[in-house]
Amino acid sequence: MSSGMSDEETETGLPASFEMAWGVRDRPTKGPKRGLSLEQIVDAGIHVANTEGIGGVSMGRVAKELGASAMSLYRYVASKDELLALMIDGAFGQIEIELVDGTWRERLKRWAEVELVAYRRFPWILRIPVTGAPIMPRQLWYMEQGLRTLGGTGLEEHEKLSAVLLVTSFTRSFAMLSGDIAAAFEAGDPTTARIMPRYGELIKKLTTAEEYPALHAVVDAGTFDEDGEEFDNLDYDFHFGLERVLDGIESLINRRNA
Amino acid sequence: MSSGMSDEETETGLPASFEMAWGVRDRPTKGPKRGLSLEQIVDAGIHVANTEGIGGVSMGRVAKELGASAMSLYRYVASKDELLALMIDGAFGQIEIELVDGTWRERLKRWAEVELVAYRRFPWILRIPVTGAPIMPRQLWYMEQGLRTLGGTGLEEHEKLSAVLLVTSFTRSFAMLSGDIAAAFEAGDPTTARIMPRYGELIKKLTTAEEYPALHAVVDAGTFDEDGEEFDNLDYDFHFGLERVLDGIESLINRRNA
DNA sequence: ACTCTACTGCGTAGAGCGTAAACAGTGAAT
DNA sequence: ATTCACTGTTTACGCTCTACGCAGTAGAGT
């Protein structure tokens, strides 16, 4: 508690670096000028994550990227977890949210596609365990955009929130699954890479048609055969699932307006 | 490569410990009797995760639980990641999957509820980053059960799969969010605990109603006020979202049978 | 101008992690 | 009886996050 960026109490209860990201909290004017900035550090972390994966992100590695020492980062960030949270927010800030006009359904669909693009550009985001509800600026901004797409639908506010959470949860899960599959084809994770191209084959080797009839039926239908070979197929699967989600929301909207 | 459990090639391409979990691969009969078993180790790992959280799970800690040395575990498991994957599967094996008869909708709903129960009993599962498609016995068995609920619906096989993935992805995401909220109330994570009870309040402090009108509307509607106080509310939110998902699937089923 | 003192970045060090390597004991196969 | 694949363990290496203390910096107060 004697040095470094502590998580001291403030009126928001947020860590100091988070308030920094919000633009709240004015820097003290006393000591020497700061050699770095929070934004620099976060960007460096994102750069390392983009090029070397989330596993390559260590305090020392990020500091090296900036020609600084590992400990110097702790003047800007209280812990590595804080840095990771800030990196997620920074990544969301780098995607341009170009939304469209139209029906709520078109708007919400476009909104979900933007999120998928973000996960494809920054796949390491999905490897960072989620902790708590979103509190960072860009994430809340993204939520705001999502809620707006449901304006004029006649839904209750809490229903809008649930609907938006529904869409993000699907997008996130799909990005996880498809990201792993796509990554397995490209780079060579020794475990995943060997497994995925022969997923259907593998299932049939491990399970019997008597015990796992439904699973075998899916495999026999060729579902896994062409999966993942191209992004086109993955895109198709994404939209297929998304349309189901939107159907569910539409069904609720219709009931509310009946 | 000279000692330990290597990830040597086999006909499945799976790590040796995974084949062990499947019951494939016969133990070599040569050397001294084994002092431990894969199941023991996995159970010990689950026990540590249950009592001390996923952060408490280290090779040394798990070995200590069994009165063995850390390195001895590597005779059964090639890496910590493998152990974690086996722990997830072991946890799924500990929940009793009591499904019901009835309409596909009732069956699928019950199926999702079982998964939620699993995440509540083993919250640490959600903290383990997902890697690749499911290949462990209990997870595939659970998928099998899910696919079966959609028998006789007239859906294509790949549509059944998508529908099942849709339901799990929602359940998983919901469990993550609600688990964090519930945990914040109970134990005291310094960051999350202070934030969640005043989430709505916090949002209004950080954002303006001009820039974030939709978000403010949700907060003003009192959506966050009583959230998380009791499990009842969380249960309500879960079923609300789940019904939306089921509506989406129903809409597809109706179209296929039209 | 001079001190105060809050603040800066950094070097050191500690505790903990996963796991590679080498080693001595074991017991079925020969 | 010998062989040798297999066992659990000890030791050690490299890496991680980060608590602590130190020297230098520069605005504030006098």
PDB file of all heavy atoms in Angstrom, chain B residues 139-164:
ATOM      1  N   GLN B 139     -19.044 -35.195 -21.739  1.00  0.00           N
ATOM      2  CA  GLN B 139     -19.545 -34.052 -22.505  1.00  0.00           C
ATOM      3  C   GLN B 139     -20.260 -34.518 -23.754  1.00  0.00           C
ATOM      4  O   GLN B 139     -21.314 -33.986 -24.122  1.00  0.00           O
ATOM      5  CB  GLN B 139     -18.385 -33.132 -22.885  1.00  0.00           C
ATOM      6  CG  GLN B 139     -17.874 -32.314 -21.725  1.00  0.00           C
ATOM      7  CD  GLN B 139     -16.718 -31.436 -22.119  1.00  0.00           C
ATOM      8  OE1 GLN B 139     -16.813 -30.612 -23.014  1.00  0.00           O
ATOM      9  NE2 GLN B 139     -15.593 -31.607 -21.439  1.00  0.00           N
ATOM     10  N   LEU B 140     -19.697 -35.523 -24.407  1.00  0.00           N
ATOM     11  CA  LEU B 140     -20.361 -36.041 -25.601  1.00  0.00           C
ATOM     12  C   LEU B 140     -21.656 -36.742 -25.217  1.00  0.00           C
ATOM     13  O   LEU B 140     -22.650 -36.684 -25.952  1.00  0.00           O
ATOM     14  CB  LEU B 140     -19.427 -36.994 -26.356  1.00  0.00           C
ATOM     15  CG  LEU B 140     -18.391 -36.313 -27.228  1.00  0.00           C
ATOM     16  CD1 LEU B 140     -17.639 -37.341 -28.060  1.00  0.00           C
ATOM     17  CD2 LEU B 140     -19.038 -35.292 -28.159  1.00  0.00           C
ATOM     18  N   TRP B 141     -21.623 -37.379 -24.055  1.00  0.00           N
ATOM     19  CA  TRP B 141     -22.840 -38.031 -23.596  1.00  0.00           C
ATOM     20  C   TRP B 141     -23.934 -37.001 -23.347  1.00  0.00           C
ATOM     21  O   TRP B 141     -25.106 -37.202 -23.672  1.00  0.00           O
ATOM     22  CB  TRP B 141     -22.570 -38.824 -22.314  1.00  0.00           C
ATOM     23  CG  TRP B 141     -23.802 -39.418 -21.700  1.00  0.00           C
ATOM     24  CD1 TRP B 141     -24.328 -39.124 -20.470  1.00  0.00           C
ATOM     25  CD2 TRP B 141     -24.671 -40.398 -22.278  1.00  0.00           C
ATOM     26  NE1 TRP B 141     -25.450 -39.856 -20.251  1.00  0.00           N
ATOM     27  CE2 TRP B 141     -25.697 -40.653 -21.338  1.00  0.00           C
ATOM     28  CE3 TRP B 141     -24.686 -41.081 -23.493  1.00  0.00           C
ATOM     29  CZ2 TRP B 141     -26.724 -41.558 -21.583  1.00  0.00           C
ATOM     30  CZ3 TRP B 141     -25.706 -41.983 -23.732  1.00  0.00           C
ATOM     31  CH2 TRP B 141     -26.700 -42.211 -22.784  1.00  0.00           C
ATOM     32  N   TYR B 142     -23.529 -35.879 -22.799  1.00  0.00           N
ATOM     33  CA  TYR B 142     -24.489 -34.813 -22.555  1.00  0.00           C
ATOM     34  C   TYR B 142     -25.033 -34.250 -23.865  1.00  0.00           C
ATOM     35  O   TYR B 142     -26.232 -33.975 -23.997  1.00  0.00           O
ATOM     36  CB  TYR B 142     -23.835 -33.701 -21.732  1.00  0.00           C
ATOM     37  CG  TYR B 142     -24.804 -32.652 -21.290  1.00  0.00           C
ATOM     38  CD1 TYR B 142     -25.736 -32.922 -20.307  1.00  0.00           C
ATOM     39  CD2 TYR B 142     -24.804 -31.395 -21.875  1.00  0.00           C
ATOM     40  CE1 TYR B 142     -26.649 -31.965 -19.910  1.00  0.00           C
ATOM     41  CE2 TYR B 142     -25.712 -30.435 -21.481  1.00  0.00           C
ATOM     42  CZ  TYR B 142     -26.625 -30.729 -20.505  1.00  0.00           C
ATOM     43  OH  TYR B 142     -27.526 -29.792 -20.122  1.00  0.00           O
ATOM     44  N   MET B 143     -24.159 -34.115 -24.841  1.00  0.00           N
ATOM     45  CA  MET B 143     -24.594 -33.668 -26.168  1.00  0.00           C
ATOM     46  C   MET B 143     -25.592 -34.668 -26.766  1.00  0.00           C
ATOM     47  O   MET B 143     -26.594 -34.270 -27.358  1.00  0.00           O
ATOM     48  CB  MET B 143     -23.389 -33.533 -27.094  1.00  0.00           C
ATOM     49  CG  MET B 143     -22.608 -32.251 -26.907  1.00  0.00           C
ATOM     50  SD  MET B 143     -23.595 -30.813 -27.387  1.00  0.00           S
ATOM     51  CE  MET B 143     -22.774 -29.526 -26.454  1.00  0.00           C
ATOM     52  N   GLU B 144     -25.257 -35.925 -26.607  1.00  0.00           N
ATOM     53  CA  GLU B 144     -26.162 -36.974 -27.095  1.00  0.00           C
ATOM     54  C   GLU B 144     -27.559 -36.788 -26.505  1.00  0.00           C
ATOM     55  O   GLU B 144     -28.563 -36.843 -27.228  1.00  0.00           O
ATOM     56  CB  GLU B 144     -25.586 -38.345 -26.701  1.00  0.00           C
ATOM     57  CG  GLU B 144     -26.553 -39.517 -26.823  1.00  0.00           C
ATOM     58  CD  GLU B 144     -26.796 -39.932 -28.265  1.00  0.00           C
ATOM     59  OE1 GLU B 144     -25.963 -39.595 -29.116  1.00  0.00           O
ATOM     60  OE2 GLU B 144     -27.827 -40.587 -28.535  1.00  0.00           O
ATOM     61  N   GLN B 145     -27.614 -36.563 -25.221  1.00  0.00           N
ATOM     62  CA  GLN B 145     -28.906 -36.367 -24.562  1.00  0.00           C
ATOM     63  C   GLN B 145     -29.651 -35.176 -25.156  1.00  0.00           C
ATOM     64  O   GLN B 145     -30.860 -35.210 -25.363  1.00  0.00           O
ATOM     65  CB  GLN B 145     -28.706 -36.124 -23.063  1.00  0.00           C
ATOM     66  CG  GLN B 145     -27.905 -37.196 -22.358  1.00  0.00           C
ATOM     67  CD  GLN B 145     -28.765 -38.385 -21.959  1.00  0.00           C
ATOM     68  OE1 GLN B 145     -29.878 -38.544 -22.446  1.00  0.00           O
ATOM     69  NE2 GLN B 145     -28.222 -39.211 -21.082  1.00  0.00           N
ATOM     70  N   GLY B 146     -28.880 -34.105 -25.399  1.00  0.00           N
ATOM     71  CA  GLY B 146     -29.499 -32.912 -25.957  1.00  0.00           C
ATOM     72  C   GLY B 146     -30.062 -33.167 -27.349  1.00  0.00           C
ATOM     73  O   GLY B 146     -31.187 -32.764 -27.670  1.00  0.00           O
ATOM     74  N   LEU B 147     -29.308 -33.861 -28.163  1.00  0.00           N
ATOM     75  CA  LEU B 147     -29.764 -34.156 -29.516  1.00  0.00           C
ATOM     76  C   LEU B 147     -31.025 -35.027 -29.482  1.00  0.00           C
ATOM     77  O   LEU B 147     -31.930 -34.865 -30.298  1.00  0.00           O
ATOM     78  CB  LEU B 147     -28.645 -34.851 -30.298  1.00  0.00           C
ATOM     79  CG  LEU B 147     -27.455 -33.963 -30.657  1.00  0.00           C
ATOM     80  CD1 LEU B 147     -26.296 -34.806 -31.192  1.00  0.00           C
ATOM     81  CD2 LEU B 147     -27.854 -32.908 -31.681  1.00  0.00           C
ATOM     82  N   ARG B 148     -31.041 -35.929 -28.520  1.00  0.00           N
ATOM     83  CA  ARG B 148     -32.203 -36.820 -28.432  1.00  0.00           C
ATOM     84  C   ARG B 148     -33.497 -36.066 -28.144  1.00  0.00           C
ATOM     85  O   ARG B 148     -34.572 -36.472 -28.581  1.00  0.00           O
ATOM     86  CB  ARG B 148     -31.991 -37.855 -27.326  1.00  0.00           C
ATOM     87  CG  ARG B 148     -31.058 -38.980 -27.723  1.00  0.00           C
ATOM     88  CD  ARG B 148     -31.045 -40.043 -26.639  1.00  0.00           C
ATOM     89  NE  ARG B 148     -29.901 -40.935 -26.787  1.00  0.00           N
ATOM     90  CZ  ARG B 148     -29.576 -41.872 -25.906  1.00  0.00           C
ATOM     91  NH1 ARG B 148     -30.305 -42.019 -24.799  1.00  0.00           N
ATOM     92  NH2 ARG B 148     -28.542 -42.644 -26.104  1.00  0.00           N
ATOM     93  N   THR B 149     -33.378 -34.974 -27.389  1.00  0.00           N
ATOM     94  CA  THR B 149     -34.600 -34.228 -27.058  1.00  0.00           C
ATOM     95  C   THR B 149     -35.279 -33.700 -28.309  1.00  0.00           C
ATOM     96  O   THR B 149     -36.469 -33.395 -28.292  1.00  0.00           O
ATOM     97  CB  THR B 149     -34.302 -33.038 -26.130  1.00  0.00           C
ATOM     98  OG1 THR B 149     -33.500 -32.086 -26.840  1.00  0.00           O
ATOM     99  CG2 THR B 149     -33.585 -33.480 -24.879  1.00  0.00           C
ATOM    100  N   LEU B 150     -34.511 -33.585 -29.381  1.00  0.00           N
ATOM    101  CA  LEU B 150     -35.074 -33.031 -30.607  1.00  0.00           C
ATOM    102  C   LEU B 150     -35.500 -34.124 -31.589  1.00  0.00           C
ATOM    103  O   LEU B 150     -35.793 -33.826 -32.752  1.00  0.00           O
ATOM    104  CB  LEU B 150     -34.064 -32.081 -31.259  1.00  0.00           C
ATOM    105  CG  LEU B 150     -33.828 -30.785 -30.477  1.00  0.00           C
ATOM    106  CD1 LEU B 150     -32.674 -29.996 -31.067  1.00  0.00           C
ATOM    107  CD2 LEU B 150     -35.099 -29.941 -30.472  1.00  0.00           C
ATOM    108  N   GLY B 151     -35.505 -35.355 -31.102  1.00  0.00           N
ATOM    109  CA  GLY B 151     -35.965 -36.432 -31.961  1.00  0.00           C
ATOM    110  C   GLY B 151     -37.441 -36.248 -32.313  1.00  0.00           C
ATOM    111  O   GLY B 151     -38.243 -35.834 -31.485  1.00  0.00           O
ATOM    112  N   GLY B 152     -37.764 -36.533 -33.550  1.00  0.00           N
ATOM    113  CA  GLY B 152     -39.158 -36.446 -33.979  1.00  0.00           C
ATOM    114  C   GLY B 152     -39.655 -35.045 -34.227  1.00  0.00           C
ATOM    115  O   GLY B 152     -40.869 -34.817 -34.344  1.00  0.00           O
ATOM    116  N   THR B 153     -38.732 -34.093 -34.299  1.00  0.00           N
ATOM    117  CA  THR B 153     -39.164 -32.716 -34.544  1.00  0.00           C
ATOM    118  C   THR B 153     -39.163 -32.372 -36.024  1.00  0.00           C
ATOM    119  O   THR B 153     -39.647 -31.303 -36.402  1.00  0.00           O
ATOM    120  CB  THR B 153     -38.233 -31.721 -33.826  1.00  0.00           C
ATOM    121  OG1 THR B 153     -36.875 -32.034 -34.180  1.00  0.00           O
ATOM    122  CG2 THR B 153     -38.399 -31.825 -32.330  1.00  0.00           C
ATOM    123  N   GLY B 154     -38.577 -33.245 -36.837  1.00  0.00           N
ATOM    124  CA  GLY B 154     -38.527 -32.962 -38.259  1.00  0.00           C
ATOM    125  C   GLY B 154     -37.384 -32.057 -38.654  1.00  0.00           C
ATOM    126  O   GLY B 154     -37.269 -31.653 -39.806  1.00  0.00           O
ATOM    127  N   LEU B 155     -36.526 -31.739 -37.696  1.00  0.00           N
ATOM    128  CA  LEU B 155     -35.363 -30.901 -38.016  1.00  0.00           C
ATOM    129  C   LEU B 155     -34.306 -31.733 -38.732  1.00  0.00           C
ATOM    130  O   LEU B 155     -34.202 -32.945 -38.535  1.00  0.00           O
ATOM    131  CB  LEU B 155     -34.759 -30.314 -36.739  1.00  0.00           C
ATOM    132  CG  LEU B 155     -35.551 -29.236 -36.015  1.00  0.00           C
ATOM    133  CD1 LEU B 155     -34.775 -28.750 -34.796  1.00  0.00           C
ATOM    134  CD2 LEU B 155     -35.869 -28.070 -36.934  1.00  0.00           C
ATOM    135  N   GLU B 156     -33.534 -31.048 -39.573  1.00  0.00           N
ATOM    136  CA  GLU B 156     -32.362 -31.688 -40.158  1.00  0.00           C
ATOM    137  C   GLU B 156     -31.362 -31.970 -39.044  1.00  0.00           C
ATOM    138  O   GLU B 156     -31.369 -31.306 -38.013  1.00  0.00           O
ATOM    139  CB  GLU B 156     -31.724 -30.756 -41.197  1.00  0.00           C
ATOM    140  CG  GLU B 156     -32.669 -30.257 -42.269  1.00  0.00           C
ATOM    141  CD  GLU B 156     -32.738 -31.242 -43.430  1.00  0.00           C
ATOM    142  OE1 GLU B 156     -31.873 -32.138 -43.470  1.00  0.00           O
ATOM    143  OE2 GLU B 156     -33.652 -31.113 -44.256  1.00  0.00           O
ATOM    144  N   GLU B 157     -30.466 -32.902 -39.297  1.00  0.00           N
ATOM    145  CA  GLU B 157     -29.493 -33.240 -38.268  1.00  0.00           C
ATOM    146  C   GLU B 157     -28.620 -32.039 -37.900  1.00  0.00           C
ATOM    147  O   GLU B 157     -28.367 -31.769 -36.726  1.00  0.00           O
ATOM    148  CB  GLU B 157     -28.617 -34.408 -38.735  1.00  0.00           C
ATOM    149  CG  GLU B 157     -29.367 -35.722 -38.897  1.00  0.00           C
ATOM    150  CD  GLU B 157     -30.039 -36.192 -37.606  1.00  0.00           C
ATOM    151  OE1 GLU B 157     -29.484 -35.907 -36.534  1.00  0.00           O
ATOM    152  OE2 GLU B 157     -31.108 -36.816 -37.674  1.00  0.00           O
ATOM    153  N   HIS B 158     -28.174 -31.313 -38.909  1.00  0.00           N
ATOM    154  CA  HIS B 158     -27.307 -30.167 -38.606  1.00  0.00           C
ATOM    155  C   HIS B 158     -28.084 -29.072 -37.885  1.00  0.00           C
ATOM    156  O   HIS B 158     -27.519 -28.305 -37.115  1.00  0.00           O
ATOM    157  CB  HIS B 158     -26.649 -29.641 -39.882  1.00  0.00           C
ATOM    158  CG  HIS B 158     -27.537 -28.798 -40.733  1.00  0.00           C
ATOM    159  ND1 HIS B 158     -27.577 -27.425 -40.658  1.00  0.00           N
ATOM    160  CD2 HIS B 158     -28.468 -29.140 -41.670  1.00  0.00           C
ATOM    161  CE1 HIS B 158     -28.448 -26.952 -41.519  1.00  0.00           C
ATOM    162  NE2 HIS B 158     -29.010 -27.965 -42.151  1.00  0.00           N
ATOM    163  N   GLU B 159     -29.376 -29.039 -38.126  1.00  0.00           N
ATOM    164  CA  GLU B 159     -30.200 -28.061 -37.401  1.00  0.00           C
ATOM    165  C   GLU B 159     -30.362 -28.456 -35.942  1.00  0.00           C
ATOM    166  O   GLU B 159     -30.358 -27.604 -35.043  1.00  0.00           O
ATOM    167  CB  GLU B 159     -31.577 -27.942 -38.075  1.00  0.00           C
ATOM    168  CG  GLU B 159     -31.502 -27.278 -39.441  1.00  0.00           C
ATOM    169  CD  GLU B 159     -32.838 -27.307 -40.181  1.00  0.00           C
ATOM    170  OE1 GLU B 159     -33.670 -28.210 -39.893  1.00  0.00           O
ATOM    171  OE2 GLU B 159     -33.051 -26.447 -41.035  1.00  0.00           O
ATOM    172  N   LYS B 160     -30.487 -29.743 -35.717  1.00  0.00           N
ATOM    173  CA  LYS B 160     -30.535 -30.204 -34.330  1.00  0.00           C
ATOM    174  C   LYS B 160     -29.272 -29.797 -33.584  1.00  0.00           C
ATOM    175  O   LYS B 160     -29.325 -29.299 -32.459  1.00  0.00           O
ATOM    176  CB  LYS B 160     -30.680 -31.732 -34.286  1.00  0.00           C
ATOM    177  CG  LYS B 160     -32.048 -32.257 -34.653  1.00  0.00           C
ATOM    178  CD  LYS B 160     -32.070 -33.782 -34.489  1.00  0.00           C
ATOM    179  CE  LYS B 160     -33.308 -34.381 -35.155  1.00  0.00           C
ATOM    180  NZ  LYS B 160     -33.221 -35.860 -35.234  1.00  0.00           N
ATOM    181  N   LEU B 161     -28.149 -30.016 -34.238  1.00  0.00           N
ATOM    182  CA  LEU B 161     -26.878 -29.667 -33.609  1.00  0.00           C
ATOM    183  C   LEU B 161     -26.817 -28.179 -33.297  1.00  0.00           C
ATOM    184  O   LEU B 161     -26.459 -27.771 -32.186  1.00  0.00           O
ATOM    185  CB  LEU B 161     -25.711 -30.065 -34.519  1.00  0.00           C
ATOM    186  CG  LEU B 161     -24.324 -29.744 -33.973  1.00  0.00           C
ATOM    187  CD1 LEU B 161     -24.028 -30.575 -32.736  1.00  0.00           C
ATOM    188  CD2 LEU B 161     -23.252 -29.953 -35.031  1.00  0.00           C
ATOM    189  N   SER B 162     -27.180 -27.371 -34.287  1.00  0.00           N
ATOM    190  CA  SER B 162     -27.160 -25.928 -34.064  1.00  0.00           C
ATOM    191  C   SER B 162     -28.076 -25.534 -32.917  1.00  0.00           C
ATOM    192  O   SER B 162     -27.731 -24.685 -32.088  1.00  0.00           O
ATOM    193  CB  SER B 162     -27.591 -25.192 -35.335  1.00  0.00           C
ATOM    194  OG  SER B 162     -26.602 -25.313 -36.334  1.00  0.00           O
ATOM    195  N   ALA B 163     -29.233 -26.150 -32.863  1.00  0.00           N
ATOM    196  CA  ALA B 163     -30.186 -25.828 -31.811  1.00  0.00           C
ATOM    197  C   ALA B 163     -29.629 -26.172 -30.439  1.00  0.00           C
ATOM    198  O   ALA B 163     -29.730 -25.389 -29.481  1.00  0.00           O
ATOM    199  CB  ALA B 163     -31.501 -26.579 -32.054  1.00  0.00           C
ATOM    200  N   VAL B 164     -29.022 -27.339 -30.354  1.00  0.00           N
ATOM    201  CA  VAL B 164     -28.445 -27.763 -29.081  1.00  0.00           C
ATOM    202  C   VAL B 164     -27.299 -26.846 -28.672  1.00  0.00           C
ATOM    203  O   VAL B 164     -27.170 -26.455 -27.506  1.00  0.00           O
ATOM    204  CB  VAL B 164     -27.978 -29.232 -29.198  1.00  0.00           C
ATOM    205  CG1 VAL B 164     -26.981 -29.570 -28.117  1.00  0.00           C
ATOM    206  CG2 VAL B 164     -29.171 -30.165 -29.133  1.00  0.00           C
TER     207      VAL B 164
END
